[in-house]
Amino acid sequence: QVQLVESGGGLVQPGGSLRLSCAASGNILSVNAMGWYRQAPGKQRELVASITRDGSINYVDSVKGRFTISRDNAKNTVYLQMNSLKPEETAVYYCNAYIVVFTTKIQYLYWGQGTQVTVSS
């Protein structure tokens, strides 16, 4: 069994910062691409940022220059540093990861349970 567990969400004022973490654990052979998505009420889930195992990164245009995605391969963990947060970025933030399961050697896409980020004064 494989799990992704997120942490770091919360309430922050506009212009503030938060750092999200997402750790993969369980029956893991390798963790490939990892990413962060968000879903605001009444809206579709959107990709925020992604990072491959070797460090290639993509961001949605709206967060470029403010958010930084990184990962620690030894800890199977991905991070999202969010600076200069805006009220419209209030959403549930989800991480995902393409993980090769140790026992089957098959890659699956896993999702975390989500963490709430609220940007409000």
Side-chain angles (χ1 to χ4, degrees):
Q1 187 174 354
V2 173
Q3 285 187 317
L4 293 180
V5 178
E6 297 135 338
S7 60
L11 173 64
V12 64
Q13 292 187 342
S17 298
L18 281 176
R19 188 188 193 215
L20 306 182
S21 300
C22 172
S25 64
N27 189 18
I28 295 172
L29 178 62
S30 64
V31 180
N32 296 320
M34 305 182 82
W36 287 97
Y37 285 70
R38 63 189 177 192
Q39 187 167 20
K43 294 189 175 182
Q44 288 188 334
R45 190 174 298 189
E46 66 167 350
L47 174 66
V48 177
S50 64
I51 183 168
T52 64
R53 184 172 181 82
D54 63 2
S56 296
I57 291 172
N58 281 310
Y59 295 104
V60 67
D61 286 346
S62 61
V63 308
K64 288 179 179 177
R66 299 185 298 118
F67 288 15
T68 302
I69 189 171
S70 61
R71 64 187 288 170
D72 184 334
N73 289 333
K75 296 181 179 180
N76 290 333
T77 298
V78 63
Y79 307 96
L80 186 67
Q81 176 67 43
M82 304 185 293
N83 299 328
S84 302
L85 280 160
K86 305 174 182 179
E88 57 265 36
E89 294 178 313
T90 294
V92 178
Y93 283 69
Y94 299 89
C95 70
N96 74 358
Y98 287 88
I99 296 174
V100 179
V101 175
F102 183 83
T103 49
T104 64
K105 309 301 187 288
I106 296 173
Q107 179 174 268
Y108 298 94
L109 175 61
Y110 291 89
W111 289 87
Q113 80 285 359
T115 185
Q116 178 69 46
V117 172
T118 301
V119 185
S120 175
S121 55

